[in-house]
Amino acid sequence: MSSGVVGWGAPETTVPPVDPELSGNTLIDSYSLLRGITRAQSRFILEGTAETVLNELLDTLLEITGSEYGFIGEVVEDDDGRFLRTHAVTNIAWTDELRTWFADESPNGLEFRNLQTLFGEVIRSGRTLISNDAPNDPRAAGLPDGHPPLRSFCGLPLWVGSEFVGMVGIANRPGGYPPGLVRELEAFLGTCSTIISAVRLRRLNEAVSAQAQLDRLRVEQYAAALALTPDFVGIAEVDGRVVSINDAGREMLGYSDGLVMGQIHTAWSRRQLIEVGLPTALSEGRWVGESEFLRSDGSPMHVSQAIVAPKDGRGEPMFVATIARDISEMKAVERLRRDFIATVSHELRTPLTSLRGSLGLLTGGVLGDFSGDVDRMLRIAQSNVDRLIGLVNDILDLERLERDETVELGPIDPRGLLAETVDVVAGAASVEQVKLVIEEDLPDGVEVNGDRGLLVQAMVNLAGNAVKFSPAGSTVTLSASLDDDRVVLAVADDGPGVDPADIERLFQPFVQLDPDGKNHKTGTGLGLAIVRRTAELHCGEARCFSDGRNGARFEIALPLEDCACEEGHAP
Amino acid sequence: MEAPHVLVVDDEDDIRAIAEMSLARIGGFRVTCVADATEALVTMRAGVPDLLLLDNMMPGMSGPELAEVIRADERLADVPIVFMTARVSADDQQRYVDAGGCAFIAKPFDPMTLPDEVRAVLEGGPKGSS
């Protein structure tokens, strides 16, 4: 036989293929093929233009196999699955519309996603497919109207190692495609595989380099913005090595024209940053707090400091930046305000002591008895001095609580607190004809860790309010109970209650509600602010429950566990 | 039996007057008032009082400082000292105890109850008051 092609028709033919090697012949023009491959490789190496080279290779392949049309494509995968993107394809467009589409899209590669086709079978399986009776092949789903006839088809997968990178498809070789063809095209397929693989690698490198450029740009934007802020901005490597400090930062520390040498934090501040600040910033991206800088002359400076660790596309911290603002002036003003309040309040006490003392002696009858009107006026004066004294005391108390220097924690039996509270308010309760009742529902040995003096004062404030607003003959109940991991101290009364809309406002300083509009029982407006602050200092919570009609219930909920919140002071 | 002798040390004239009136008229004590620590030491060395009612903040030597001098003086060391003070935080209370105070009375005080509080200390009653 002169050629293996002869007699090689549709797959269902019973004529066995003729092995060209056994017959001494080859199926194709090996010389032309080799020349085509060599030329393509050289061009790709020298010019790097994959599309041109693959188009030339396709032309060579069509020519030596006698095929009418074909393509060389890449197997691509996205969220919708595998599909084919051509790098070289014969233009077989048969309508004007398709011709336009082909002209527009083919330079970027045509995408074919319908895999219910002969080439689709290759994409799905990654294996060679030969169909020499394409019109009757069940794997082909038919052709669109106008498509040039498809008589035979040969689909050859392109593999690089274990990676399925693409395929070659050729059609309509006269007489069909014999299986031996694949072996003879090995070198050709290898070249196509290498070129597609190289294209992929190039694309990957470009993506990585684009990302790197984007990252660099972002860093530059950060740096440009931060360099101009009036705050201290320092940039450091992730390991903490300082890279740069902006001009404002240098000036703030007093290094106006030199390098910043040595530590810029005081000892406690440095420890805080190493133990808390940096780890938090690196894990969570940000830490904000107060620290202390050291100026070049050794003096400390109070700053509000943020540490940020911007992350790259892979979620790794790129660098550490710290931004700090001098708040020493703010702190000084705050201190001044507190000293002022303390001094004024204290200086007020001296004349108040004299006033209260002389009025007390007069109303006490030590200097003789006074007639009705004089006595009434003296008592009005005395009760208002008492109010003034209460106000000054509350201001001082609140001020001390704000300074939170006075919390002295120790184990306290909640029952003792209730008893002590009742002792203090018993006098007022008897004047108002209000009954005080203690209810406790606590397991033995339950204690809270707290400041006894502060807690008694807070409870006295609550109980005093309850007595003040209770109608004569009613009852005020003081209770202690366990709620999960908290001890709840409560004071409940049968007074007019609190409008639920006013509850939150009630705990703010100098807020007084006048439930019955008579304004006959006034206080300082600081009592509940003191209660709330006391609760906060114990990592607890102060709250009020009322429907605005049937009395009110005020609670102080205290954690059973040792206080570990920011406000609290561990023992 | 002669009435107990109370020495009041306070730099405020008005407060001395009120304390004296309260302690003498209501309590029936013998009362001497002085305005500062130096005068107080002179008076005490001339005749040891039964109790010292001592202001905390005074120009010159403060109340606790005077108390320490008194405690170091063998002849005066046993005189009970009651501090009169506006400052009654836990820290302050400890300072008064450290200085040898056996009670404190918060300012502003009630002149009607002051004598009872003083008497309680003299009789070895409860320490501290409000």
Side-chain angles (χ1 to χ4, degrees):
Chain A
M1 278 204 259
S2 63
S3 163
V5 175
V6 176
W8 179 248
E12 63 269 26
T13 178
T14 52
V15 179
V18 178
D19 188 331
E21 277 180 19
L22 291 178
S23 69
N25 293 324
T26 55
L27 292 163
I28 52 174
D29 176 354
S30 304
Y31 173 71
S32 299
L33 183 64
L34 202 59
R35 201 179 50 194
I37 290 172
T38 309
R39 196 172 58 225
Q41 284 174 339
S42 307
R43 281 196 72 169
F44 185 65
I45 290 164
L46 293 174
E47 300 170 17
T49 51
E51 307 307 309
T52 319
V53 172
L54 288 170
N55 271 305
E56 281 181 14
L57 280 172
L58 178 62
D59 289 345
T60 305
L61 181 65
L62 295 175
E63 194 182 323
I64 61 171
T65 58
S67 301
E68 280 180 16
Y69 54 89
F71 64 84
I72 301 173
E74 183 180 349
V75 173
V76 188
E77 193 152 5
D78 66 8
D79 291 345
D80 296 331
R82 276 187 192 171
F83 64 96
L84 174 77
R85 182 187 291 139
T86 62
H87 284 286
V89 57
T90 313
N91 187 354
I92 54 166
W94 57 93
T95 64
D96 284 346
E97 196 185 344
L98 283 174
R99 274 187 281 274
T100 309
W101 173 74
F102 186 90
D104 289 348
E105 300 294 327
S106 66
N108 301 321
L110 305 177
E111 284 185 9
F112 295 97
R113 287 177 181 270
N114 176 14
L115 301 188
Q116 301 305 316
T117 54
L118 290 175
F119 77 82
E121 179 63 26
V122 180
I123 302 247
R124 282 201 307 256
S125 67
R127 289 161 62 181
T128 298
L129 178 145
I130 291 173
S131 175
N132 285 327
D133 183 18
N136 298 313
D137 194 312
R139 294 168 295 191
L143 296 172
D145 286 344
H147 191 286
L150 180 65
R151 293 184 293 277
S152 57
F153 176 79
C154 173
L156 303 159
L158 300 174
W159 287 84
V160 175
S162 60
E163 196 185 359
F164 180 26
V165 297
M167 71 168 287
V168 173
I170 41 180
N172 295 354
R173 182 180 198 258
Y177 294 94
L181 187 68
V182 181
R183 267 242 321 262
E184 291 189 28
L185 288 177
E186 242 170 43
F188 177 89
L189 297 177
T191 301
C192 292
S193 303
T194 307
I195 291 173
I196 289 178
S197 194
V199 168
R200 285 187 163 196
L201 196 64
R202 194 184 294 164
R203 200 186 300 136
L204 198 67
N205 282 339
E206 280 168 2
V208 168
S209 137
Q211 185 59 49
Q213 206 174 341
L214 207 64
D215 289 347
R216 211 163 35 241
L217 181 70
R218 202 168 294 156
V219 172
E220 281 167 11
Q221 286 169 336
Y222 275 125
L226 295 183
L228 290 175
T229 65
D231 295 330
F232 176 104
V233 180
I235 310 280
E237 299 287 5
V238 175
D239 63 11
R241 214 155 26 89
V242 175
V243 176
S244 69
I245 292 175
N246 68 342
D247 291 348
R250 267 183 244 276
E251 264 172 50
M252 198 187 277
L253 296 178
Y255 295 93
S256 44
D257 52 359
L259 284 172
V260 176
M261 307 295 288
Q263 298 298 345
I264 61 166
H265 286 100
T266 56
W268 73 263
S269 197
R270 185 172 155 71
R271 200 165 50 243
Q272 172 186 253
L273 291 182
I274 290 171
E275 288 172 6
V276 185
L278 269 174
T280 307
L282 289 174
S283 64
E284 291 166 27
R286 184 169 66 166
W287 175 83
V288 179
E290 284 186 15
S291 7
E292 208 170 43
F293 274 3
L294 265 180
R295 293 194 185 90
S296 59
D297 63 7
S299 61
M301 173 176 40
H302 220 107
V303 295
S304 163
Q305 182 170 14
I307 302 178
V308 293
K311 294 182 176 174
D312 62 18
R314 297 185 306 275
E316 296 292 322
M318 295 186 286
F319 61 90
V320 177
T322 185
I323 300 132
R325 176 167 290 183
D326 183 357
I327 55 166
S328 40
E329 206 166 300
M330 199 175 89
K331 285 276 163 189
V333 170
E334 204 175 309
R335 218 169 17 247
L336 197 68
R337 183 187 68 85
R338 285 176 171 171
D339 288 351
F340 177 77
I341 291 175
T343 306
V344 167
S345 302
H346 193 256
E347 290 306 314
L348 280 173
R349 279 192 202 239
T350 303
L352 281 174
T353 303
S354 299
L355 259 178
R356 177 65 180 79
S358 36
L359 287 169
L361 289 170
L362 287 171
T363 56
V366 177
L367 305 171
D369 291 330
F370 295 95
S371 69
D373 281 349
V374 175
D375 186 56
R376 199 159 68 86
M377 287 304 128
L378 285 173
R379 286 185 193 282
I380 288 174
Q382 182 175 319
S383 79
N384 281 281
V385 167
D386 284 341
R387 263 181 70 191
L388 205 50
I389 291 167
L391 182 60
V392 170
N393 284 343
D394 279 357
I395 289 175
L396 272 180
D397 286 340
L398 195 56
E399 164 55 25
R400 259 210 304 262
L401 290 176
E402 291 296 339
R403 226 171 32 221
D404 69 46
E405 289 166 0
T406 49
V407 186
E408 291 176 5
L409 298 182
I412 301 169
D413 176 3
R415 283 166 279 226
L417 282 180
L418 298 186
E420 223 170 302
T421 306
V422 167
D423 283 348
V424 178
V425 294
S430 115
V431 171
E432 302 285 345
Q433 295 170 20
V434 171
K435 197 175 156 200
L436 294 173
V437 172
I438 290 182
E439 276 177 6
E440 61 94 359
D441 179 22
L442 284 176
D444 281 342
V446 168
E447 287 182 331
V448 289
N449 196 26
D451 182 310
R452 174 171 218 96
L454 289 181
L455 288 174
V456 168
Q457 186 192 1
M459 285 300 284
V460 165
N461 286 358
L462 292 182
N465 276 349
V467 165
K468 208 159 61 178
F469 288 107
S470 287
S474 68
T475 301
V476 166
T477 307
L478 285 76
S479 63
S481 57
L482 208 55
D483 177 18
D484 280 342
D485 52 355
R486 302 211 283 190
V487 169
V488 177
L489 304 171
V491 176
D493 65 53
D494 294 327
V498 182
D499 186 334
D502 288 331
I503 285 177
E504 188 46 41
R505 220 158 54 84
L506 206 56
F507 288 96
Q508 293 165 9
F510 297 110
V511 170
Q512 292 189 73
L513 305 176
D514 184 15
D516 52 10
K518 291 181 193 152
N519 195 23
H520 59 138
K521 290 169 175 174
T522 45
T524 63
L526 291 173
L528 290 177
I530 290 172
V531 170
R532 167 163 286 183
R533 184 64 190 151
T534 299
E536 285 170 358
L537 286 173
H538 287 83
C539 306
E541 191 188 358
R543 46 198 190 190
C544 167
F545 302 94
S546 178
D547 62 3
R549 287 186 301 276
N550 308 309
R553 177 184 167 87
F554 285 83
E555 292 185 352
I556 300 174
L558 301 169
L560 273 178
E561 295 295 316
D562 281 348
C563 203
C565 71
E566 203 174 294
E567 293 282 4
H569 298 242
Chain B
M1 200 178 112
E2 204 179 9
H5 180 209
V6 176
L7 176 62
V8 176
V9 189
D10 198 307
D11 60 319
E12 283 287 330
D13 295 350
D14 294 348
I15 290 172
R16 287 200 304 275
I18 290 161
E20 182 174 13
M21 195 170 285
S22 156
L23 292 169
R25 292 222 188 175
I26 302 168
F29 297 110
R30 282 186 297 135
V31 181
T32 308
C33 293
V34 296
D36 60 44
T38 315
E39 262 189 274
L41 284 171
V42 170
T43 309
M44 286 180 86
R45 280 165 185 158
V48 182
D50 295 300
L51 184 141
L52 192 63
L53 197 56
L54 183 54
D55 184 24
N56 172 36
M57 284 169 72
M58 292 184 294
M61 204 184 283
S62 74
E65 283 165 354
L66 173 59
E68 276 170 40
V69 173
I70 291 168
R71 289 287 169 253
D73 187 319
E74 212 174 289
R75 235 159 45 87
L76 309 177
D78 292 335
V79 177
I81 297 174
V82 175
F83 282 103
M84 282 192 298
T85 176
R87 295 191 178 273
V88 283
S89 72
D91 280 355
D92 294 329
Q93 289 181 32
Q94 190 55 48
R95 226 153 44 83
Y96 302 139
V97 171
D98 292 345
C102 58
F104 65 88
I105 287 169
K107 278 182 177 178
F109 57 84
D110 182 344
M112 300 307 290
T113 57
L114 179 65
D116 288 345
E117 295 180 65
V118 167
R119 184 160 291 114
V121 174
L122 283 171
E123 290 166 4
K127 307 206 165 175
S129 95
S130 54

